[in-house]
Amino acid sequence: MDRTQSADWAGRAEATLRERGHKASAPRSAVLALIGRQECVVSAQDIADELKRGRQKVGIATVYRTLEILEELRLVQRLDLGGESARFEPATPDGHHHHHHFVCRICGRAIPFEDDSLERVIDVLGKRLKATVEEHDVILKGVCPDCEG
Amino acid sequence: MDRTQSADWAGRAEATLRERGHKASAPRSAVLALIGRQECVVSAQDIADELKRGRQKVGIATVYRTLEILEELRLVQRLDLGGESARFEPATPDGHHHHHHFVCRICGRAIPFEDDSLERVIDVLGKRLKATVEEHDVILKGVCPDCEG
DNA sequence: GTCGATGCAAAGAATTTGCAGGACC
DNA sequence: GGTCCTGCAAATTCTTTGCATCGAC
Protein backbone atom coordinates (compact mmCIF):
# COMPACT_ATOMS: atom_id res chain seq x y z
CA MET A 1 0.00 0.00 0.00
CA ASP A 2 2.92 2.26 0.66
CA ARG A 3 4.17 1.66 -2.81
CA THR A 4 0.78 2.36 -4.33
CA GLN A 5 0.52 5.61 -2.47
CA SER A 6 4.04 6.56 -3.52
CA ALA A 7 3.30 5.90 -7.15
CA ASP A 8 0.24 8.04 -6.76
CA TRP A 9 2.16 10.91 -5.38
CA ALA A 10 4.73 11.00 -8.18
CA GLY A 11 2.02 10.60 -10.77
CA ARG A 12 -0.10 13.32 -9.25
CA ALA A 13 2.91 15.61 -9.05
CA GLU A 14 3.87 15.03 -12.67
CA ALA A 15 0.31 15.70 -13.75
CA THR A 16 0.05 18.88 -11.73
CA LEU A 17 3.31 20.18 -13.12
CA ARG A 18 2.19 19.46 -16.66
CA GLU A 19 -1.09 21.26 -16.03
CA ARG A 20 0.79 24.28 -14.85
CA GLY A 21 2.75 24.37 -18.06
CA HIS A 22 5.97 22.91 -16.75
CA LYS A 23 7.93 20.71 -19.10
CA ALA A 24 8.92 17.15 -18.38
CA SER A 25 12.55 16.12 -18.06
CA ALA A 26 14.49 13.11 -16.92
CA PRO A 27 16.19 14.87 -13.98
CA ARG A 28 12.91 16.24 -12.72
CA SER A 29 11.17 12.89 -13.01
CA ALA A 30 13.96 11.27 -11.07
CA VAL A 31 13.53 13.82 -8.29
CA LEU A 32 9.78 13.31 -8.23
CA ALA A 33 10.12 9.55 -8.15
CA LEU A 34 12.57 9.71 -5.29
CA ILE A 35 10.45 12.09 -3.25
CA GLY A 36 7.43 9.92 -3.86
CA ARG A 37 9.28 6.99 -2.37
CA GLN A 38 9.99 8.81 0.90
CA GLU A 39 7.97 8.03 3.96
CA CYS A 40 9.53 10.89 5.80
CA VAL A 41 11.85 13.84 5.34
CA VAL A 42 14.90 14.25 3.12
CA SER A 43 17.18 17.22 2.47
CA ALA A 44 18.02 18.60 -0.94
CA GLN A 45 21.49 17.16 -0.54
CA ASP A 46 20.06 13.76 0.37
CA ILE A 47 18.12 13.78 -2.87
CA ALA A 48 21.13 14.77 -4.96
CA ASP A 49 23.35 12.20 -3.27
CA GLU A 50 20.84 9.42 -3.61
CA LEU A 51 20.32 10.14 -7.29
CA LYS A 52 24.05 10.41 -7.88
CA ARG A 53 24.37 6.82 -6.75
CA GLY A 54 21.69 5.80 -9.23
CA ARG A 55 21.87 6.19 -12.96
CA GLN A 56 20.28 9.63 -13.14
CA LYS A 57 22.58 12.33 -11.83
CA VAL A 58 20.91 15.63 -11.02
CA GLY A 59 22.57 18.92 -10.16
CA ILE A 60 21.84 20.33 -6.74
CA ALA A 61 20.47 23.52 -8.28
CA THR A 62 17.89 21.52 -10.17
CA VAL A 63 16.90 19.75 -6.98
CA TYR A 64 16.35 23.07 -5.24
CA ARG A 65 14.46 24.51 -8.18
CA THR A 66 12.21 21.49 -8.38
CA LEU A 67 11.55 21.59 -4.66
CA GLU A 68 10.68 25.26 -4.90
CA ILE A 69 8.04 24.58 -7.53
CA LEU A 70 6.67 21.63 -5.62
CA GLU A 71 6.42 23.68 -2.48
CA GLU A 72 4.50 26.44 -4.22
CA LEU A 73 2.07 23.88 -5.53
CA ARG A 74 1.85 22.40 -2.04
CA LEU A 75 3.03 19.05 -3.31
CA VAL A 76 5.85 18.96 -0.82
CA GLN A 77 6.14 20.41 2.63
CA ARG A 78 9.31 22.10 3.75
CA LEU A 79 10.31 21.46 7.35
CA ASP A 80 12.85 23.13 9.55
CA LEU A 81 13.70 20.46 12.04
CA GLY A 82 16.55 22.34 13.60
CA GLY A 83 19.35 20.65 11.68
CA GLU A 84 21.67 22.50 9.37
CA SER A 85 19.48 22.25 6.34
CA ALA A 86 15.80 22.27 5.46
CA ARG A 87 14.09 18.98 4.82
CA PHE A 88 11.23 18.09 2.57
CA GLU A 89 8.58 15.43 2.36
CA PRO A 90 5.71 14.63 0.04
CA ALA A 91 2.61 16.48 1.15
CA THR A 92 -0.46 14.46 1.87
CA PRO A 93 -3.63 15.41 0.05
CA ASP A 94 -5.98 17.49 2.19
CA GLY A 95 -7.76 15.66 4.91
CA HIS A 96 -5.55 12.61 4.76
CA HIS A 97 -3.73 11.72 7.90
CA HIS A 98 -0.52 13.63 7.94
CA HIS A 99 2.20 13.14 10.47
CA HIS A 100 4.51 15.18 12.63
CA HIS A 101 8.05 14.59 13.78
CA PHE A 102 10.10 13.63 16.73
CA VAL A 103 13.72 14.64 16.28
CA CYS A 104 16.45 12.92 18.26
CA ARG A 105 19.02 15.27 19.69
CA ILE A 106 21.67 12.53 19.67
CA CYS A 107 21.40 10.79 16.34
CA GLY A 108 19.51 13.51 14.52
CA ARG A 109 16.97 11.12 13.06
CA ALA A 110 13.44 12.34 12.43
CA ILE A 111 10.78 9.86 13.51
CA PRO A 112 7.26 10.42 12.23
CA PHE A 113 4.15 9.96 14.32
CA GLU A 114 0.49 10.84 14.09
CA ASP A 115 -2.09 11.68 16.67
CA ASP A 116 -5.74 12.45 16.17
CA SER A 117 -6.28 14.36 19.40
CA LEU A 118 -3.44 16.62 18.42
CA GLU A 119 -5.01 17.39 15.08
CA ARG A 120 -8.33 18.10 16.71
CA VAL A 121 -6.87 20.49 19.25
CA ILE A 122 -4.98 22.36 16.55
CA ASP A 123 -8.16 22.59 14.49
CA VAL A 124 -10.01 24.20 17.36
CA LEU A 125 -7.06 26.42 18.05
CA GLY A 126 -7.03 27.64 14.47
CA LYS A 127 -10.60 28.75 14.83
CA ARG A 128 -9.90 30.52 18.08
CA LEU A 129 -7.12 32.60 16.56
CA LYS A 130 -8.37 35.22 14.19
CA ALA A 131 -5.77 34.27 11.63
CA THR A 132 -6.20 31.84 8.77
CA VAL A 133 -4.13 28.77 9.50
CA GLU A 134 -2.97 27.10 6.33
CA GLU A 135 -0.60 24.56 7.76
CA HIS A 136 0.95 23.50 11.01
CA ASP A 137 3.98 21.63 12.25
CA VAL A 138 4.51 20.00 15.57
CA ILE A 139 8.09 19.14 16.37
CA LEU A 140 9.06 17.15 19.42
CA LYS A 141 12.69 17.07 20.41
CA GLY A 142 14.45 14.72 22.78
CA VAL A 143 16.19 11.37 22.83
CA CYS A 144 14.95 8.42 20.82
CA PRO A 145 14.71 4.86 22.18
CA ASP A 146 17.86 3.75 20.36
CA CYS A 147 19.97 6.51 21.83
CA GLU A 148 18.45 6.22 25.29
CA GLY A 149 20.79 5.04 28.03
CA MET B 1 4.47 42.70 35.46
CA ASP B 2 6.11 42.16 32.13
CA ARG B 3 8.95 44.33 33.19
CA THR B 4 9.38 42.48 36.44
CA GLN B 5 9.51 39.19 34.64
CA SER B 6 12.00 40.58 32.13
CA ALA B 7 14.29 41.86 34.82
CA ASP B 8 14.10 38.46 36.41
CA TRP B 9 15.16 36.71 33.28
CA ALA B 10 18.25 38.85 32.70
CA GLY B 11 19.19 38.60 36.35
CA ARG B 12 18.73 34.88 36.40
CA ALA B 13 20.75 34.52 33.23
CA GLU B 14 23.62 36.63 34.57
CA ALA B 15 23.63 34.61 37.77
CA THR B 16 23.64 31.30 35.94
CA LEU B 17 26.48 32.37 33.71
CA ARG B 18 28.53 33.50 36.69
CA GLU B 19 27.90 30.17 38.41
CA ARG B 20 29.17 28.35 35.38
CA GLY B 21 32.40 30.28 35.50
CA HIS B 22 31.67 32.71 32.71
CA LYS B 23 33.01 36.21 33.07
CA ALA B 24 30.90 39.32 32.97
CA SER B 25 31.30 41.89 30.23
CA ALA B 26 29.46 44.93 29.00
CA PRO B 27 28.63 43.48 25.58
CA ARG B 28 27.28 40.32 27.08
CA SER B 29 25.18 42.18 29.61
CA ALA B 30 23.72 44.28 26.85
CA VAL B 31 22.73 41.15 24.95
CA LEU B 32 21.18 39.63 28.04
CA ALA B 33 19.25 42.78 28.85
CA LEU B 34 17.90 42.99 25.35
CA ILE B 35 16.84 39.36 25.22
CA GLY B 36 15.19 39.72 28.58
CA ARG B 37 13.07 42.53 27.23
CA GLN B 38 11.71 40.42 24.37
CA GLU B 39 8.24 39.03 24.57
CA CYS B 40 8.78 36.97 21.48
CA VAL B 41 11.46 35.95 19.01
CA VAL B 42 14.42 37.90 17.64
CA SER B 43 17.22 36.91 15.30
CA ALA B 44 20.90 37.33 16.04
CA GLN B 45 20.98 40.12 13.51
CA ASP B 46 18.02 41.82 15.19
CA ILE B 47 19.95 41.83 18.43
CA ALA B 48 23.10 43.24 16.88
CA ASP B 49 21.15 45.91 14.99
CA GLU B 50 19.15 46.93 17.99
CA LEU B 51 22.25 47.28 20.14
CA LYS B 52 24.06 49.15 17.42
CA ARG B 53 21.41 51.82 17.63
CA GLY B 54 21.95 52.06 21.38
CA ARG B 55 25.12 52.99 23.13
CA GLN B 56 26.57 49.50 23.46
CA LYS B 57 27.71 48.11 20.13
CA VAL B 58 28.25 44.36 20.02
CA GLY B 59 29.85 42.32 17.27
CA ILE B 60 27.64 39.77 15.60
CA ALA B 61 30.09 37.01 16.55
CA THR B 62 29.66 37.87 20.20
CA VAL B 63 25.91 37.75 19.81
CA TYR B 64 26.11 34.28 18.32
CA ARG B 65 28.55 33.08 20.95
CA THR B 66 26.37 34.40 23.74
CA LEU B 67 23.28 32.80 22.25
CA GLU B 68 25.12 29.51 21.98
CA ILE B 69 25.96 29.53 25.67
CA LEU B 70 22.45 30.58 26.63
CA GLU B 71 20.97 27.82 24.55
CA GLU B 72 23.17 25.18 26.15
CA LEU B 73 22.04 26.38 29.55
CA ARG B 74 18.47 26.34 28.30
CA LEU B 75 18.08 30.01 29.05
CA VAL B 76 17.00 30.74 25.52
CA GLN B 77 15.16 28.64 23.01
CA ARG B 78 16.20 28.56 19.40
CA LEU B 79 13.36 28.43 16.91
CA ASP B 80 13.31 27.68 13.23
CA LEU B 81 10.24 29.47 12.03
CA GLY B 82 10.94 28.93 8.38
CA GLY B 83 12.47 32.32 7.71
CA GLU B 84 16.00 32.79 6.53
CA SER B 85 17.58 32.82 9.93
CA ALA B 86 17.10 31.21 13.31
CA ARG B 87 15.30 33.15 15.98
CA PHE B 88 15.65 33.13 19.72
CA GLU B 89 13.56 33.95 22.71
CA PRO B 90 14.02 33.86 26.47
CA ALA B 91 13.09 30.43 27.78
CA THR B 92 10.44 30.23 30.43
CA PRO B 93 11.31 28.45 33.66
CA ASP B 94 9.96 24.90 33.75
CA GLY B 95 6.27 24.58 34.26
CA HIS B 96 5.50 28.18 33.47
CA HIS B 97 3.15 28.77 30.62
CA HIS B 98 5.16 28.91 27.49
CA HIS B 99 3.85 29.94 24.13
CA HIS B 100 3.98 28.80 20.54
CA HIS B 101 3.96 30.74 17.30
CA PHE B 102 1.82 31.64 14.41
CA VAL B 103 3.91 32.83 11.47
CA CYS B 104 2.36 35.00 8.78
CA ARG B 105 3.30 33.97 5.28
CA ILE B 106 2.81 37.52 4.00
CA CYS B 107 4.46 39.82 6.50
CA GLY B 108 6.67 37.24 8.17
CA ARG B 109 5.71 38.31 11.67
CA ALA B 110 5.64 35.72 14.43
CA ILE B 111 2.64 36.01 16.71
CA PRO B 112 2.75 34.16 20.01
CA PHE B 113 -0.16 32.28 21.48
CA GLU B 114 -0.75 29.77 24.23
CA ASP B 115 -3.22 26.98 24.66
CA ASP B 116 -3.63 24.65 27.59
CA SER B 117 -5.40 21.86 25.71
CA LEU B 118 -2.51 21.79 23.31
CA GLU B 119 -0.01 21.39 26.11
CA ARG B 120 -2.05 18.63 27.66
CA VAL B 121 -2.33 16.68 24.42
CA ILE B 122 1.39 16.96 23.80
CA ASP B 123 2.06 15.78 27.32
CA VAL B 124 0.00 12.67 26.79
CA LEU B 125 1.59 12.17 23.41
CA GLY B 126 5.05 12.28 24.90
CA LYS B 127 4.11 9.43 27.19
CA ARG B 128 2.66 7.41 24.34
CA LEU B 129 5.87 7.63 22.35
CA LYS B 130 8.67 5.59 23.81
CA ALA B 131 11.08 8.48 23.40
CA THR B 132 11.96 11.07 26.00
CA VAL B 133 10.51 14.38 24.90
CA GLU B 134 12.57 17.29 26.18
CA GLU B 135 10.94 20.10 24.31
CA HIS B 136 8.34 20.79 21.69
CA ASP B 137 7.43 23.46 19.20
CA VAL B 138 4.14 24.03 17.51
CA ILE B 139 4.25 26.30 14.51
CA LEU B 140 1.14 27.46 12.74
CA LYS B 141 1.53 29.08 9.34
CA GLY B 142 -0.95 31.13 7.41
CA VAL B 143 -2.13 34.69 7.01
CA CYS B 144 -2.47 37.05 9.95
CA PRO B 145 -5.47 39.36 10.47
CA ASP B 146 -3.53 42.43 9.29
CA CYS B 147 -2.55 40.83 6.00
CA GLU B 148 -5.91 39.24 5.42
CA GLY B 149 -7.28 40.70 2.22
C1' DG C 1 49.05 37.24 35.68
C1' DT C 2 45.80 33.91 33.69
C1' DC C 3 42.14 32.76 31.05
C1' DG C 4 37.82 33.93 29.22
C1' DA C 5 35.58 37.44 26.07
C1' DT C 6 35.60 40.55 22.07
C1' DG C 7 35.76 42.17 17.32
C1' DC C 8 37.29 41.77 12.93
C1' DA C 9 37.91 39.28 9.04
C1' DA C 10 38.24 34.90 6.87
C1' DA C 11 36.24 30.38 6.50
C1' DG C 12 32.20 27.30 5.98
C1' DA C 13 27.74 25.71 4.75
C1' DA C 14 23.19 26.05 2.68
C1' DT C 15 20.67 28.05 -0.86
C1' DT C 16 19.98 31.10 -4.89
C1' DT C 17 21.12 33.07 -9.24
C1' DG C 18 23.42 34.10 -13.95
C1' DC C 19 24.42 32.14 -18.01
C1' DA C 20 25.25 29.24 -22.14
C1' DG C 21 23.73 25.18 -24.10
C1' DG C 22 20.15 21.49 -24.68
C1' DA C 23 15.52 19.37 -24.67
C1' DC C 24 10.45 19.48 -24.85
C1' DC C 25 6.07 20.65 -27.21
C1' DG D 1 11.75 27.42 -32.98
C1' DG D 2 10.54 29.47 -28.74
C1' DT D 3 10.46 28.53 -24.10
C1' DC D 4 11.44 26.01 -20.22
C1' DC D 5 15.09 23.13 -18.01
C1' DT D 6 19.81 21.83 -16.71
C1' DG D 7 24.41 22.01 -14.86
C1' DC D 8 28.11 24.62 -13.54
C1' DA D 9 30.11 28.16 -11.14
C1' DA D 10 29.72 32.51 -8.95
C1' DA D 11 27.09 35.11 -5.65
C1' DT D 12 24.38 35.52 -1.30
C1' DT D 13 23.19 34.85 3.25
C1' DC D 14 23.61 32.96 7.77
C1' DT D 15 26.72 31.18 11.09
C1' DT D 16 31.17 29.68 12.87
C1' DT D 17 36.08 30.10 13.63
C1' DG D 18 41.07 31.91 13.93
C1' DC D 19 43.63 35.23 15.97
C1' DA D 20 45.50 39.17 18.31
C1' DT D 21 44.07 41.99 21.96
C1' DC D 22 41.56 43.48 26.04
C1' DG D 23 39.53 43.06 30.46
C1' DA D 24 37.58 40.44 34.51
C1' DC D 25 38.78 37.93 38.56
Side-chain angles (χ1 to χ4, degrees):
Chain A
M1 200 199 273
D2 273 347
R3 241 163 261 185
T4 307
Q5 193 176 17
S6 303
D8 280 346
W9 185 91
R12 187 163 57 93
E14 298 249 28
T16 307
L17 290 179
R18 218 176 311 126
E19 272 172 35
R20 299 301 181 111
H22 291 285
K23 293 177 179 170
S25 83
R28 184 168 288 177
S29 291
V31 172
L32 293 178
L34 192 152
I35 294 174
R37 262 181 264 129
Q38 303 308 312
E39 298 180 8
C40 199
V41 295
V42 282
S43 68
Q45 195 62 62
D46 290 340
I47 295 175
D49 290 348
E50 184 75 27
L51 293 175
K52 196 179 305 175
R53 268 189 266 114
R55 51 204 78 75
Q56 179 64 57
K57 319 238 188 280
V58 179
I60 189 75
T62 296
V63 173
Y64 276 112
R65 284 190 274 235
T66 301
L67 286 170
E68 186 184 4
I69 296 171
L70 293 173
E71 193 187 359
E72 273 170 19
L73 297 176
R74 292 177 165 270
L75 286 164
V76 303
Q77 177 162 23
R78 173 198 296 260
L79 291 158
D80 293 294
L81 298 183
E84 331 64 43
S85 58
R87 311 208 216 163
F88 304 82
E89 65 180 11
T92 51
D94 278 346
H96 283 216
H97 63 270
H98 73 178
H99 61 253
H100 293 290
H101 302 87
F102 173 91
V103 181
C104 177
R105 150 166 77 74
I106 311 285
C107 65
R109 260 192 312 158
I111 301 170
F113 67 83
E114 23 184 310
D115 188 274
D116 287 340
S117 324
L118 183 60
E119 300 303 323
R120 253 176 276 128
V121 169
I122 291 178
D123 246 33
V124 173
L125 183 54
K127 281 163 195 150
R128 179 163 77 75
L129 299 173
K130 284 143 198 158
T132 306
V133 177
E134 297 170 340
E135 80 180 63
H136 64 259
D137 298 328
V138 177
I139 301 170
L140 306 186
K141 294 177 184 167
V143 182
C144 75
D146 290 357
C147 294
E148 196 88 60
Chain B
M1 201 200 270
D2 272 346
R3 243 161 259 183
T4 308
Q5 194 177 16
S6 303
D8 279 344
W9 184 89
R12 187 162 57 94
E14 297 249 27
T16 308
L17 290 178
R18 218 176 311 126
E19 271 173 36
R20 298 302 181 109
H22 292 286
K23 292 177 181 170
S25 83
R28 186 167 286 177
S29 290
V31 172
L32 294 179
L34 192 153
I35 294 175
R37 263 182 264 129
Q38 303 308 312
E39 298 180 8
C40 199
V41 294
V42 282
S43 69
Q45 195 62 61
D46 291 339
I47 295 174
D49 290 347
E50 185 74 26
L51 293 176
K52 197 179 307 174
R53 268 190 268 114
R55 50 203 78 74
Q56 180 64 58
K57 320 235 187 281
V58 181
I60 189 75
T62 296
V63 174
Y64 276 111
R65 284 190 276 236
T66 301
L67 286 169
E68 186 185 3
I69 296 171
L70 293 173
E71 193 187 1
E72 273 170 19
L73 298 177
R74 292 178 167 270
L75 286 164
V76 304
Q77 176 162 25
R78 172 197 297 261
L79 291 157
D80 294 294
L81 298 183
E84 331 64 43
S85 58
R87 312 209 214 163
F88 304 82
E89 66 181 9
T92 51
D94 279 347
H96 283 217
H97 63 268
H98 72 179
H99 62 253
H100 293 291
H101 302 87
F102 173 91
V103 182
C104 177
R105 146 166 80 73
I106 311 285
C107 66
R109 259 193 313 158
I111 300 169
F113 67 85
E114 23 182 308
D115 189 275
D116 287 342
S117 325
L118 183 59
E119 301 303 323
R120 253 177 275 127
V121 170
I122 291 178
D123 247 33
V124 174
L125 184 53
K127 281 163 195 150
R128 180 163 77 74
L129 300 172
K130 283 145 200 154
T132 305
V133 177
E134 297 170 338
E135 82 180 62
H136 63 260
D137 298 328
V138 176
I139 301 170
L140 307 186
K141 293 178 184 165
V143 182
C144 76
D146 290 355
C147 293
E148 197 89 60

